[in-house]
């Protein structure tokens, strides 16, 4: 079945630095990918929709300059958390769907970001 | 404003018994609902779905029921197994034809051996 891979699985960074998270669709081409974040004991909150070859669409309240999304190819979307602060510490998850298949979206394994 | 709600944060069930997980939503425009299962430090895994034109969908031990008038859906797992212990999220597709999901807060299910 379709697989979505995220890298890294976890990362610790210092305040003020930037962190890049990759989301790859391994055996299908994803024209659209989605980025979510999850705080402890809370729901997965959609941050943005990543569209291949065009600008991402951000949900209300999500700072686009803070969370840079690039979807340069049909199999790769990246989320860069710029000038990270401790409150950005969270679990970030991407999802993608194979538009040719009659299946639901597949999720990556997530990235645990800790900003110290 | 939480459009998809799971009011029970946790549930414990004895192995072999039925697990019932509940989910309520507020937006009558949602037309497709899903249940995802999530283990710690992993991404969610799709479990089962139901279209708003149906009131029941069954897949092995898992059955999802939809009550549109009450804006309520439930996931039944029978018989429950220890390996079912995980966090279960219900989700709604926000707009027909897209795969933009709105998730509930999750229910942690613990199946006791």
């Amino acid at each position: 079945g379709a697989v979505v891979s995220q890298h890294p699985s976890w990362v610790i960074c210092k305040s003020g630095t930037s962190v890049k998270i990759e989301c790859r669709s391994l055996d299908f081409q994803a024209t659209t990918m989605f980025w979510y974040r999850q705080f402890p004991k809370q729901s997965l909150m959609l941050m943005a929709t990543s569209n291949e070859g065009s600008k991402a669409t951000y949900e209300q309240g999500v700072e686009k300059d803070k969370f840079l999304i690039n979807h340069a190819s049909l199999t790769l979307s990246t989320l860069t958390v710029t000038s990270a602060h401790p409150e950005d510490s969270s679990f970030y998850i991407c999802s993608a769907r194979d538009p040719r298949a009659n299946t639901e979206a597949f999720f990556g394994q997530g990235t645990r970001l800790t900003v110290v | 404003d939480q459009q998809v709600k799971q009011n029970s944060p946790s549930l414990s069930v004895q192995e072999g018994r039925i697990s019932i997980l509940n989910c309520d939503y507020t937006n009558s425009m949602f037309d497709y609902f899903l249940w995802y299962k999530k283990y710690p430090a992993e991404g969610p895994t799709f479990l089962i779905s139901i279209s708003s034109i149906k009131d029941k969908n069954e897949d092995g031990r898992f059955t999802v029921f939809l009550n549109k008038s009450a804006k309520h859906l439930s996931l039944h797992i029978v018989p429950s197994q220890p390996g079912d212990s995980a966090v279960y999220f219900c989700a709604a597709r926000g707009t027909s034809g897209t795969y933009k999901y709105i998730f509930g807060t999750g229910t942690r299910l613990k199946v006791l051996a």
Side-chain angles (χ1 to χ4, degrees):
Chain A
V3 177
V4 174
S5 176
Q6 245 180 279
H7 178 80
S9 298
W10 58 271
V11 58
I12 301 173
C13 70
K14 292 184 178 180
S15 286
T17 61
S18 295
V19 174
K20 182 186 284 188
I21 302 170
E22 294 185 347
C23 179
R24 293 182 185 274
S25 56
L26 296 185
D27 54 2
F28 67 98
Q29 294 181 329
T31 53
T32 304
M33 292 184 176
F34 301 92
W35 286 96
Y36 294 82
R37 70 186 292 185
Q38 183 188 21
F39 291 107
K41 298 183 180 180
Q42 293 190 25
S43 178
L44 284 80
M45 298 299 295
L46 179 66
M47 298 175 65
T49 303
S50 171
N51 303 298
E52 188 269 336
S54 64
K55 291 183 179 180
T57 304
Y58 290 82
E59 295 300 303
Q60 191 174 10
V62 177
E63 299 176 59
K64 60 181 180 181
D65 295 329
K66 173 77 172 174
F67 299 100
L68 299 179
I69 291 173
N70 184 282
H71 195 154
S73 79
L74 287 170
T75 59
L76 174 64
S77 175
T78 61
L79 168 67
T80 302
V81 183
T82 62
S83 187
H85 288 95
E87 56 265 30
D88 298 324
S89 298
S90 187
F91 192 57
Y92 293 87
I93 307 178
C94 70
S95 75
R97 180 182 172 270
D98 185 347
R100 302 164 303 171
N102 186 25
T103 62
E104 294 305 321
F106 291 91
F107 283 78
Q109 72 271 36
T111 298
R112 170 73 61 193
L113 170 64
T114 303
V115 184
V116 297
Chain B
D1 179 27
Q2 190 74 28
Q3 296 188 67
V4 180
K5 302 177 184 179
Q6 293 174 258
N7 292 319
S8 298
S10 64
L11 174 68
S12 290
V13 172
Q14 205 66 37
E15 181 180 7
R17 305 295 291 269
I18 185 171
S19 296
I20 300 176
L21 298 98
N22 294 303
C23 179
D24 297 292
Y25 60 96
T26 58
N27 190 337
S28 58
M29 297 301 291
F30 290 149
D31 65 350
Y32 200 79
F33 304 89
L34 311 95
W35 284 94
Y36 274 82
K37 177 179 178 180
K38 184 179 180 300
Y39 294 112
E42 292 184 13
T45 303
F46 170 70
L47 200 57
I48 192 169
S49 63
I50 188 167
S51 164
S52 61
I53 62 174
K54 294 186 175 181
D55 55 18
K56 177 182 175 182
N57 188 26
E58 192 172 353
D59 184 2
R61 296 186 297 115
F62 303 92
T63 304
V64 56
F65 295 92
L66 175 63
N67 182 334
K68 282 187 65 177
S69 60
K71 295 192 182 67
H72 176 85
L73 63 154
S74 61
L75 174 68
H76 293 211
I77 306 173
V78 56
S80 301
Q81 299 173 353
D84 295 330
S85 298
V87 178
Y88 289 79
F89 290 95
C90 69
R93 276 216 305 239
T95 305
S96 179
T98 75
Y99 287 82
K100 187 172 154 176
Y101 300 147
I102 299 172
F103 282 84
T105 49
T107 297
R108 182 176 300 280
L109 172 66
K110 188 171 184 179
V111 180
L112 306 170

